[in-house]
Amino acid sequence: MTAATRQLTRDSGRRIPRYERHDFAPRRSRYAVVVPVINEGERLRAQVRRMYDCGHGLDVLIADGGSTDGSLAEDFLAAHGVRSVLVKTGPGRLSAQLRMAFAAALADGYQGVITLDGNGKDGVEAIARFRARLDDGYDYVQGSRFVPGGSAVNTPWSRYLGIRLLHAPMLSAGGRTWYTDTTNGFRGHSARLLTDPRVGVFRDVFDAYELLAYLPVRAAQLGLRVCEVPVTRAYPAGAVPTKIKGWSGNLDLLAVAARAATGRYNP
């Protein structure tokens, strides 16, 4: 944890997981692109190459949950435009990785954070759309494969039905605004959203998938500016790269969505 982040934590009472940081370059952009990963292997390396080639012009921060597969070789990342690797050493899963990365980005002075998964499913060319919406003053930007201009490739039917019939309607009702693709981690967040005490991002209750459900609901409830932008999400044929496994994992995801929609995570 950097000195700036430690000071940020002391001044605000924020709960931020312990982590180590490895920087390869100074801050160069207004927004940061955060990629949370754990053992994504060649999928991540291929995605990093695509992000570098698309020339989106934003700093990239890798938020690692403790990878052991060698995919985060620093020489490779530095040569392909990654600015920093944050390695979580404290407890927690995806939401803890996001809290870590949000805190580091705010301490660095970024005015917003764009997140996308590191498993290669997302069309990285859409980063520019998120940047444009943050420039327009939006606080929460949800990527959607289901709006005009978006593309859903090889989405498993169970995943499609779960999103369209359960997860998205539930969070839309809680936020009193319409969302179409609420499990999608391709998102934009303004610094105003991430620092709003009525949101309270930096709490230990956010450990696993809670922030993914909570942020779209809470941003809309508070009257912050929210929107969706089209993205491509392409699953490879055959095995689905996901950390959500089986019926129990999907039921847990819906239980988290229900708690977010009914205000259980509100400060």
Side-chain angles (χ1 to χ4, degrees):
M1 189 180 297
T2 66
T5 306
R6 284 195 296 271
Q7 187 64 44
L8 188 68
T9 304
R10 286 194 294 268
D11 292 346
S12 62
R14 295 171 177 173
R15 303 291 292 176
I16 301 167
R18 296 185 304 276
Y19 67 94
E20 298 174 353
R21 177 167 187 165
H22 308 275
D23 291 325
F24 314 130
R27 180 171 72 86
R28 294 166 294 196
S29 61
R30 184 178 183 185
Y31 308 119
V33 177
V34 164
V35 185
V37 301
I38 183 166
N39 290 330
E40 295 295 352
E42 183 54 34
R43 291 189 297 266
L44 171 65
R45 294 170 71 88
Q47 177 173 314
V48 167
R49 293 186 192 98
R50 293 200 309 274
M51 292 171 67
Y52 181 70
D53 290 343
C54 84
H56 52 75
L58 301 181
D59 293 341
V60 176
L61 313 181
I62 302 293
D64 180 35
S67 296
T68 57
D69 62 354
S71 57
L72 299 178
E74 293 187 357
D75 55 349
F76 170 81
L77 297 177
H80 288 83
V82 173
R83 183 203 165 199
S84 305
V85 174
L86 314 171
V87 181
K88 184 176 64 63
T89 59
R93 294 180 286 170
L94 176 60
S95 288
Q97 289 170 252
L98 291 174
R99 283 188 285 131
M100 167 187 73
F102 290 155
L106 291 171
D108 283 353
Y110 290 106
Q111 297 179 38
V113 176
I114 298 164
T115 60
L116 74 160
D117 295 342
N119 54 20
K121 291 185 293 191
D122 295 304
V124 298
E125 69 284 347
I127 291 172
R129 296 177 191 147
F130 290 88
R131 180 180 59 196
R133 291 296 176 267
L134 291 173
D135 282 342
D136 290 340
Y138 283 92
D139 296 294
Y140 178 80
V141 185
Q142 175 66 63
S144 176
R145 73 199 98 172
F146 303 125
V147 297
S151 178
V153 180
N154 293 330
T155 306
W157 275 106
S158 60
R159 184 66 54 88
Y160 176 86
L161 294 174
I163 297 167
R164 302 291 275 160
L165 300 181
L166 295 172
H167 201 272
M170 196 183 303
L171 296 190
S172 296
R176 298 183 292 278
T177 194
W178 183 244
Y179 292 112
T180 62
D181 198 3
T182 45
T183 65
N184 198 327
F186 208 165
R187 302 165 169 208
H189 317 75
S190 71
R192 181 169 50 246
L193 169 68
L194 298 178
T195 57
D196 192 322
R198 300 172 299 169
V199 179
V201 165
F202 299 102
R203 290 178 282 145
D204 284 338
V205 68
F206 301 124
D207 176 83
Y209 295 99
E210 298 87 2
L211 276 177
L212 294 186
Y214 171 69
L215 284 174
V217 173
R218 192 60 175 156
Q221 285 177 343
L222 294 173
L224 300 175
R225 296 187 69 191
V226 305
C227 67
E228 291 188 313
V229 297
V231 299
T232 294
R233 181 154 251 209
Y235 290 79
V240 176
T242 180
K243 298 295 188 296
I244 302 169
K245 303 294 185 182
W247 284 103
S248 62
N250 285 288
L251 289 174
D252 286 345
L253 203 65
L254 291 175
V256 166
R259 289 193 286 271
T262 55
R264 294 280 295 279
Y265 299 123
N266 293 358

